[in-house]
Amino acid sequence: MHGYAKDKDAYLTRLRRIEGQVRGLQRMVDEDEYCIDVLTQVSAVTRALQSVALGLLEDHLGHCVAQAIDEGGPEAEAKVKEASAAIARLVRS
């Protein structure tokens, strides 16, 4: 079971809302809306996706990484490296 399993429905709801925001962005561009208004909405979608990413990361650290550390061995080190790489990707985005 993945760390986000208990919050799966909430994540799906948030992602569907983000999907709607992206469709709204497409509509704004199609209707030649003002650049700044489009950029404002892009920023809102970006923040929403970052929020989902941080939640998933928190769930991963609290469940998958913590479980691997409790079990010890090479799997623990691999999970920590994997989490560090995921954090680095988020920071760069």
Side-chain angles (χ1 to χ4, degrees), residues 11-27 41 44-46 48-49 52:
Y11 282 121
L12 287 172
T13 298
R14 291 168 77 184
L15 288 168
R16 287 184 188 106
R17 190 176 310 127
I18 293 166
E19 182 181 22
Q21 288 177 288
V22 171
R23 281 193 305 272
L25 276 167
Q26 291 169 335
R27 189 171 42 255
Q41 292 306 309
V45 170
T46 301
L49 281 171
V52 169

Side-chain angles (χ1 to χ4, degrees), residues 57 60-61 65 69 76-92:
L57 181 61
H60 181 67
L61 291 172
V65 175
I69 289 172
E77 185 176 328
K79 287 289 182 186
V80 170
K81 285 183 181 181
E82 178 184 63
S84 294
I87 292 167
R89 284 191 304 273
L90 286 173
V91 169
R92 284 191 300 262

Side-chain angles (χ1 to χ4, degrees), residues 3-7 11 54-64:
Y4 62 84
K6 65 181 175 31
D7 298 319
Y11 282 121
L54 289 174
L56 288 168
L57 181 61
E58 183 178 347
D59 288 343
H60 181 67
L61 291 172
H63 180 264
C64 302

